[in-house]
Amino acid sequence: MQPEANPSAPPAPRGKGTARKVLMGVLAVVLVAALGTGGWLLWGDGSADDHGSGTARPTQAQGRLDVRETVEKRPASTLGEMAFRFSLDDMKPGEHNEMPGMWATDKILAKGIKRTVAGFRIGTDADVGDEAWKTRLGGPICGYTRHVTGDNRTAVLFRESDQEDAYCNHVAFLDLDDGHQVWAHDFPVSAAGPSQDTPDSADTQDRPSVTLTHGTVVVTWGGGTVAYDMDRGTKRWNTTVAGRCQDMGAAGGRALVIREQCLSADETPVDVYWQRNTFKVREVDPATGRALWSYSAPKGIRTLSVPSTDPAVVAVSSGEIGLTELISLDGEGKHRATLSLGNDTYVGECFDGDYLVIDYCPTIAVGADQAFLRSEDQQEKQISNWVIGFDLATGNTTTKFDSGPGALLYPLRMSGDQLLALRLSNDHVAPNTLVSLDPRTGKETPYFYFDVPIEADTLTTPDVNDVVVQNGRIFFGARAAIGPGADGNKWVYLVLGIGSVAEKP
């Protein structure tokens, strides 16, 4: 399973034209158009001098085995241009391909596509066949982590074969710079539910998950957890669970937190299955597997995710739809504060779905002392919303950032002590903006302004697509490739990248 690399091969000519020529041609057109009322994929005044520095203070130094926490620098120009595109123009109506996972480095945009992880050079207009590298796995990708190490590596899970009933029981550690598979291993499986028997097929298997923390790749598989050394792939430790509890998901980053799901032995009839479930989380020493603390969530919780491991924050749902509270924990796993999301006032999304990624909460950002969420959309004269901070010590609201009329504001991630957010225009006249928000002062600093073609508009919402900000660029990626509909438009956007005109790959 070595990568199929073609680093020197130019993009194949097709209807869209040669990659670099298309990108530069688009830029030449929009530079002229931007002098008027606006332009496709490029907005701004070209100057960063009159908006304040917005410079984030650096965090502590990170090593290559740490999970990456990039502090973004404000570009020299607020003009945004297309930095990358991956699209298809030959999909059939009704065709559906899973595309789990998207990662970026300074040179490469990598995307999971069925059983392959493909890397594309940033600065290209890419189609299938234009990969800088691609790594074909033994079967379809069945799990991934959003985390990337300081030396640009990540992990995915894959099935043992293409057979429909093949177990999801392999993990691979990949280098995103060149596609090299550093190592791969298989791991145990267990039957769905509290039983640890061998399942009949993938349909009756407990869902596994994978995450990264310092020096360690961690897989949960229902019946327990197994951890591997990043460099050598050797097993560092493993644990098993007993009784009616299972390890169902791990959250990584600065620390390692494992979610435990327990099924009550009470056979009293209930309306829905989840009323018998309870959840625990425990922080684990990544070097030894020793539990450092454990927290039991209140009964009646439908779902539990972990948007942050340090500081520890869990997101829970005790209602019919959506998250209802964030719960902050102290350094010993004890309840610190409950951050109530109100009666449909604030919104946060956490996804595990078909891929068990319990720390993927794309519109919740957690800093050292605050968590940031967006409000529900306001539908008065024009659509609008705001982003609000919650104090992790008290649960009280703090700084508020308004989207302004005709736009929606989405928190994305922390960049040092600054909050990166995306403002999406609702009218395609005003530009979209990647901004930095200062929680201490309430000041907003634009990174760059941009627009997107109408065909790619559906890619930009973070609650239904992958959004990655890395090395001065923002990437929007589809989680699945879906063939064209009745409109006959066969051009399907899969990934779109935007960067400042001042930042070249």
Side-chain angles (χ1 to χ4, degrees), residues 1-6 86 97-103 109-120 127-144 154-159 161-162 172 174 176 178-179 181 355 479:
M1 272 181 284
Q2 292 300 314
E4 304 166 24
N6 54 337
F86 174 36
N97 293 314
E98 289 293 303
M99 299 186 64
M102 184 173 76
W103 310 268
L109 186 286
K111 195 79 177 80
I113 308 171
K114 297 189 291 188
R115 64 182 298 173
T116 299
V117 180
F120 301 91
D127 198 348
V128 171
D130 297 337
E131 302 90 348
W133 55 259
K134 58 182 180 180
T135 300
R136 186 173 172 84
L137 303 168
I141 297 169
C142 52
Y144 66 95
T154 194
V156 297
L157 306 181
F158 62 96
R159 300 189 185 280
S161 74
D162 275 330
L174 306 175
L176 296 174
D178 59 12
Q181 181 176 285
Y355 306 97
R479 294 177 184 154

Side-chain angles (χ1 to χ4, degrees), residues 380-433:
E380 296 181 356
K381 292 182 179 179
Q382 296 187 66
I383 193 168
S384 66
N385 74 341
W386 62 87
V387 167
I388 197 78
F390 288 84
D391 188 295
L392 295 181
T394 66
N396 297 330
T397 58
T398 57
T399 312
K400 179 181 178 182
F401 300 95
D402 286 306
S403 69
L408 293 174
L409 193 60
Y410 293 86
L412 297 178
R413 70 168 175 87
M414 301 304 296
S415 175
D417 57 4
Q418 305 291 291
L419 172 64
L420 296 179
L422 173 66
R423 176 178 283 106
L424 291 178
S425 171
N426 195 51
D427 58 14
H428 289 282
V429 176
N432 306 310
T433 321

Side-chain angles (χ1 to χ4, degrees), residues 23-190:
L23 285 176
M24 292 302 101
V26 167
L27 178 57
V29 172
V30 297
L31 277 170
V32 176
L35 297 176
T37 59
W40 182 66
L41 289 177
L42 186 147
W43 290 82
D45 62 0
S47 171
D49 294 338
D50 58 351
H51 295 288
S53 68
T55 303
R57 282 149 294 284
T59 56
Q60 66 183 45
Q62 289 186 282
R64 66 180 190 86
L65 297 181
D66 290 321
V67 172
R68 184 178 67 189
E69 294 182 63
T70 308
V71 177
E72 299 294 330
K73 297 179 180 179
R74 187 170 180 228
S77 172
T78 56
L79 289 167
E81 68 168 335
M82 182 167 65
F84 174 78
R85 176 168 59 188
F86 174 36
S87 58
L88 296 176
D89 55 12
D90 59 354
M91 288 193 70
K92 299 176 182 177
E95 185 178 349
H96 183 280
N97 293 314
E98 289 293 303
M99 299 186 64
M102 184 173 76
W103 310 268
T105 72
D106 59 336
K107 301 293 184 183
I108 293 291
L109 186 286
K111 195 79 177 80
I113 308 171
K114 297 189 291 188
R115 64 182 298 173
T116 299
V117 180
F120 301 91
R121 284 190 186 82
I122 296 169
T124 60
D125 185 9
D127 198 348
V128 171
D130 297 337
E131 302 90 348
W133 55 259
K134 58 182 180 180
T135 300
R136 186 173 172 84
L137 303 168
I141 297 169
C142 52
Y144 66 95
T145 175
R146 64 189 176 91
H147 294 303
V148 176
T149 65
D151 58 355
N152 295 332
R153 295 178 176 185
T154 194
V156 297
L157 306 181
F158 62 96
R159 300 189 185 280
E160 59 186 359
S161 74
D162 275 330
Q163 299 297 317
E164 289 186 5
D165 60 351
Y167 296 138
C168 179
N169 64 348
H170 284 73
V171 56
F173 194 49
L174 306 175
D175 189 315
L176 296 174
D177 287 323
D178 59 12
H180 172 65
Q181 181 176 285
V182 182
W183 51 259
H185 287 294
D186 60 358
F187 55 84
V189 296
S190 66

Side-chain angles (χ1 to χ4, degrees), residues 78-358:
T78 56
L79 289 167
E81 68 168 335
M82 182 167 65
F84 174 78
R85 176 168 59 188
F86 174 36
S87 58
L88 296 176
D89 55 12
D90 59 354
M91 288 193 70
K92 299 176 182 177
E95 185 178 349
H96 183 280
N97 293 314
E98 289 293 303
M99 299 186 64
M102 184 173 76
W103 310 268
T105 72
D106 59 336
K107 301 293 184 183
I108 293 291
L109 186 286
K111 195 79 177 80
I113 308 171
K114 297 189 291 188
R115 64 182 298 173
T116 299
V117 180
F120 301 91
R121 284 190 186 82
I122 296 169
T124 60
D125 185 9
D127 198 348
V128 171
D130 297 337
E131 302 90 348
W133 55 259
K134 58 182 180 180
T135 300
R136 186 173 172 84
L137 303 168
I141 297 169
C142 52
Y144 66 95
T145 175
R146 64 189 176 91
H147 294 303
V148 176
T149 65
D151 58 355
N152 295 332
R153 295 178 176 185
T154 194
V156 297
L157 306 181
F158 62 96
R159 300 189 185 280
E160 59 186 359
S161 74
D162 275 330
Q163 299 297 317
E164 289 186 5
D165 60 351
Y167 296 138
C168 179
N169 64 348
H170 284 73
V171 56
F173 194 49
L174 306 175
D175 189 315
L176 296 174
D177 287 323
D178 59 12
H180 172 65
Q181 181 176 285
V182 182
W183 51 259
H185 287 294
D186 60 358
F187 55 84
V189 296
S190 66
S195 169
Q196 294 183 30
D197 295 338
T198 301
D200 296 329
S201 68
D203 292 337
T204 58
Q205 175 188 351
D206 272 328
R207 292 182 302 159
S209 79
V210 63
T211 197
L212 308 179
T213 189
H214 176 77
T216 311
V217 179
V218 180
V219 175
T220 67
W221 52 276
T225 299
V226 58
Y228 303 94
D229 177 88
M230 278 183 179
D231 278 337
R232 296 178 293 276
T234 53
K235 186 182 295 185
R236 303 191 78 178
W237 51 266
N238 67 281
T239 60
T240 56
V241 293
R244 303 182 69 84
C245 293
Q246 299 176 287
D247 284 353
M248 295 292 289
R254 293 183 180 181
L256 174 61
V257 172
I258 294 173
R259 182 179 73 176
E260 206 172 309
Q261 186 171 336
C262 303
L263 182 66
S264 170
D266 185 1
E267 299 297 333
T268 303
V270 294
D271 293 334
V272 288
Y273 76 92
W274 59 264
Q275 292 177 343
R276 285 204 181 104
N277 283 342
T278 58
F279 290 96
K280 300 178 182 178
V281 292
R282 66 183 187 273
E283 183 181 351
V284 172
D285 181 343
T288 65
R290 179 176 64 90
L292 303 176
W293 53 254
S294 178
Y295 168 78
S296 296
K299 292 183 178 180
I301 297 300
R302 178 191 290 265
T303 63
L304 182 148
S305 297
V306 186
S308 174
T309 59
D310 182 13
V313 177
V314 297
V316 302
S317 172
S318 55
E320 289 298 320
I321 299 175
L323 299 179
T324 51
E325 295 94 24
L326 300 186
I327 300 171
S328 62
L329 307 176
D330 66 16
E332 297 179 348
K334 295 177 180 177
H335 179 275
R336 190 178 179 196
T338 297
L339 289 58
S340 175
L341 305 192
N343 185 17
D344 297 327
T345 304
Y346 302 107
V347 183
E349 289 85 12
C350 292
F351 299 104
D352 53 31
D354 293 334
Y355 306 97
L356 197 57
V357 192
I358 69 166

